[in-house]
Amino acid sequence: MPCKRPVADETGSEALKHLKIDDTSSDSDPSDTEPTEHVTDAFLDTICRNSLDFDFEEQCSVSLSTTNIYACLVCGKYFQGRGQQTHAYFHSINDEHHVFINLKTLHVYVLPDNYEVMDKSLNDIKDVIQPTYSTRDVMRIDDIIGHGHDLMGRPYTVGCVGLNRVKHTSYINVIIQTLAHIRPIRNFLLTLSNLDKRPPLVHKLSMVVRRMWHARRFKAHISPHECVQEIVVLSKGRFGLDKEADPFELLVWMLNTLHGMVRKKKTSVVYETVRGEMQVATWKVQDMLQDDMVEDVEATILTMPFLALSLELPPTPLFTHPSTDDEDERANIPQVALGTLLQRYNGTTTVETNGLVRQYTVTNLPAYIVCHVKRFTKHNMSEKNLTVVNFPVRNVPFGDLLHVHGSTSVTYDLVVNVCHVGHQGKSAVDGAVLTEFEESPFFAYVRQGENLWFRVHDLQVEPVMPQMLFLSDSYIQVWQRN
């Protein structure tokens, strides 16, 4: 039903006479000529919140321009400008949709009369477009975790929001979920000011994280389209949409890139959170064979930082007992404890590779430890080690396991567990028919509060018991220091 223009009484007519009509063009700044009065308007009844979706790129649906964009609050489409001869102006006349909001300034206007509207009922829309958090909100956000509700009344867990998959980008979704649950990085992105002046990747990632932790969303899911697009462009195609890439490589790239964009005086909240330090002692095998006293061979010792600990799985057995139809296929899969894999970095275990013997000693534990379980033997992820890694989720004594001097009593709790589902990797470009899990092979277990766990697989979010975490093929783990 087309919306009618409201008939103003004498008081309203007098008010409209004093309004300053703005002929803002599509290329000018709408703040140059502001209306002299702010009024409420009967056209607000035509706003349809179910049609609004602000997750996508701010781009005019007609001219494809990305400057001076307004969203129609009736149909949700984006248009450029609000002055005469602009696409928003013509849309208001042709479709009789009259209420528009500037996506940068959050000012609301009625077109084609071109006057600004100030009404408290519009605050929920402004909060969805640009969620803001005070320092007090961030300090309390983990203590008041609960359920939000979308416009349809459907509940969702704040912070555990499903992310829409753009083609083959489940590996990007799990990394966004990971960064959103590393508390110092999350808090930094939630309270970051002057987003428009920040690098595009920081801006887009901050907006996704803010919307994930917003309790009054219109929809119970988010489309990280802009953030994904920025990752593809900034990485120069290294991480794309056509096939699944390695999420661990993306995580390391994201941490280093974000550090370079937000660092101050050679440090940043990123490195302060996840970067540790280790000593690497190196011997040449040839020198050790020539010297009868191996202890006398001098080692080359280097001190280097690390962002993650790579854990080598034992080789897959060549021969296994064939399983019958009645047996569980996982019964023949080998298992290994997390503590066994961490012995590589305890300062006493030696590793021989390429004619060199190395010994790793962790000297400084970060606030958050990232563990990378090396399951794939090739860069194209075509061969996978299915060994099950067993681990507790609380109070793991990393300081004792790694023999870190002065930190033997330090324990860590698991906060994120990124897993891979499936056997040998397939690619859509191979022409194979992929199942739902093969098209989206990565998902994440994330912890909310003290002991609530959720399985987030793109748009699917479901609660799980902590005892179920180790049954999946863990690939990336994030541990928080107690």
Side-chain angles (χ1 to χ4, degrees):
M1 178 178 179
C3 55
K4 304 294 184 181
R5 289 181 179 274
V7 179
D9 55 14
E10 294 182 0
T11 305
S13 300
E14 291 298 324
L16 289 175
K17 289 180 182 179
H18 296 288
L19 289 175
K20 184 177 180 181
I21 303 302
D22 187 4
D23 293 331
T24 305
S25 65
S26 60
D27 297 326
S28 63
D29 187 352
S31 61
D32 291 341
T33 53
E34 289 293 335
T36 57
E37 293 188 26
H38 306 301
V39 298
T40 57
D41 195 89
F43 286 125
L44 298 184
D45 293 338
T46 65
I47 295 176
C48 181
R49 286 169 171 77
N50 289 327
S51 301
L52 304 181
D53 190 347
F54 303 107
D55 292 339
F56 293 96
E57 184 179 6
E58 298 176 4
Q59 186 179 64
C60 177
S61 59
V62 179
S63 66
L64 303 183
S65 173
T66 57
T67 59
N68 199 17
I69 302 301
Y70 290 77
C72 174
L73 297 184
V74 180
C75 65
K77 294 181 179 179
Y78 292 176
F79 298 96
Q80 183 182 27
R82 75 169 192 272
Q84 295 182 5
Q85 306 302 318
T86 62
H87 300 295
Y89 183 88
F90 292 137
H91 178 72
S92 67
I93 297 176
N94 297 333
D95 294 72
E96 295 189 356
H97 294 175
H98 299 287
V99 189
F100 294 79
I101 186 170
N102 186 290
L103 296 178
K104 295 294 184 184
T105 65
L106 302 184
H107 292 173
V108 179
Y109 299 90
V110 169
L111 299 181
D113 294 330
N114 202 8
Y115 59 87
E116 184 176 359
V117 177
M118 298 289 290
D119 195 285
K120 292 183 179 180
S121 65
L122 301 170
N123 289 344
D124 62 332
I125 297 177
K126 296 178 181 180
D127 288 341
V128 170
I129 297 176
Q130 293 183 10
T132 57
Y133 301 83
S134 65
T135 304
R136 182 182 178 185
D137 294 335
V138 171
M139 294 297 293
R140 298 171 61 242
I141 198 169
D142 292 306
D143 299 329
I144 58 175
I145 290 176
H147 290 288
H149 293 81
D150 62 10
L151 289 177
M152 304 301 294
R154 293 171 297 194
Y156 66 91
T157 303
V158 178
C160 288
V161 181
L163 300 179
N164 188 30
R165 175 166 52 89
V166 185
K167 297 183 71 174
H168 301 282
T169 57
S170 70
Y171 73 101
I172 297 180
N173 287 349
V174 295
I175 297 306
I176 293 177
Q177 293 282 359
T178 299
L179 295 176
H181 286 84
I182 299 178
R183 188 175 298 175
I185 297 177
R186 178 205 65 187
N187 294 349
F188 173 78
L189 294 174
L190 291 181
T191 58
L192 195 61
S193 59
N194 300 323
L195 286 181
D196 292 337
K197 299 179 181 179
R198 303 288 180 175
L201 179 61
V202 177
H203 182 186
K204 304 306 181 185
L205 180 61
S206 176
M207 290 306 302
V208 173
V209 174
R210 291 175 184 221
R211 290 167 180 171
M212 290 176 63
W213 288 92
H214 192 249
R216 297 177 299 277
R217 289 192 50 77
F218 290 168
K219 294 179 173 60
H221 61 270
I222 296 174
S223 176
H225 172 76
E226 287 189 279
C227 185
V228 171
Q229 189 177 33
E230 188 62 32
I231 290 174
V232 174
V233 173
L234 198 59
S235 67
K236 298 180 180 179
R238 178 182 175 185
F239 306 105
L241 310 178
D242 295 333
K243 64 179 181 179
E244 296 286 343
D246 189 342
F248 177 70
E249 292 183 2
L250 174 61
L251 176 61
V252 174
W253 179 86
M254 288 281 287
L255 293 175
N256 286 317
T257 303
L258 291 175
H259 163 73
M261 291 178 174
V262 303
R263 66 179 176 181
K264 295 180 179 180
K265 297 181 179 180
K266 298 183 179 181
T267 187
S268 70
V269 65
V270 179
Y271 276 10
E272 291 175 355
T273 302
V274 299
R275 190 170 74 163
E277 192 175 81
M278 69 169 62
Q279 285 186 349
V280 182
T282 305
W283 297 269
K284 293 183 178 181
V285 175
Q286 185 176 2
D287 294 342
M288 298 178 69
L289 294 176
Q290 292 176 353
D291 200 318
D292 295 333
M293 300 296 294
V294 178
E295 294 80 2
D296 296 338
V297 178
E298 185 176 354
T300 303
I301 299 178
L302 297 176
T303 300
M304 61 180 61
F306 67 89
L307 294 178
L309 298 177
S310 293
L311 308 180
E312 295 280 353
L313 292 175
T316 303
L318 295 178
F319 303 99
T320 58
H321 297 287
S323 60
T324 64
D325 295 338
D326 298 331
E327 290 180 333
D328 185 1
E329 292 184 359
R330 298 182 69 89
N332 294 322
I333 298 177
Q335 302 184 28
V336 63
L338 177 66
T340 302
L341 300 180
L342 289 173
Q343 290 179 1
R344 178 187 181 96
Y345 301 98
N346 62 8
T348 59
T349 303
T350 57
V351 180
E352 181 178 347
T353 55
N354 299 325
L356 299 175
V357 176
R358 290 189 173 93
Q359 191 177 77
Y360 302 92
T361 306
V362 176
T363 57
N364 182 29
L365 290 173
Y368 284 74
I369 296 178
V370 179
C371 293
H372 168 224
V373 182
K374 300 181 68 174
R375 292 195 174 275
F376 303 100
T377 58
K378 294 184 179 181
H379 293 295
N380 60 4
M381 304 176 69
S382 62
E383 296 182 9
K384 178 183 175 182
N385 190 324
L386 297 175
T387 301
V388 176
V389 179
N390 296 321
F391 54 89
V393 297
R394 302 297 295 268
N395 298 321
V396 176
F398 272 83
D400 186 32
L401 293 173
L402 300 177
H403 299 170
V404 180
H405 180 70
S407 301
T408 55
S409 61
V410 176
T411 61
Y412 285 75
D413 292 343
L414 185 67
V415 291
V416 179
N417 186 31
V418 176
C419 301
H420 181 272
V421 64
H423 297 275
Q424 273 67 27
K426 292 182 181 179
S427 173
V429 298
D430 298 334
V433 179
L434 303 181
T435 65
E436 177 184 357
F437 289 117
E438 289 170 337
E439 287 186 348
S440 180
F442 294 102
F443 64 91
Y445 292 108
V446 296
R447 195 189 79 190
Q448 292 287 83
E450 288 299 321
N451 205 29
L452 295 177
W453 284 91
F454 293 87
R455 183 180 186 271
V456 185
H457 193 174
D458 294 333
L459 292 175
Q460 301 175 6
V461 180
E462 57 184 3
V464 296
M465 298 293 292
Q467 296 80 1
M468 304 296 293
L469 267 61
F470 74 92
L471 297 180
S472 302
D473 297 332
S474 299
Y475 188 56
I476 301 173
Q477 294 183 334
V478 181
W479 297 83
Q480 176 187 358
R481 184 166 57 194
N482 293 322

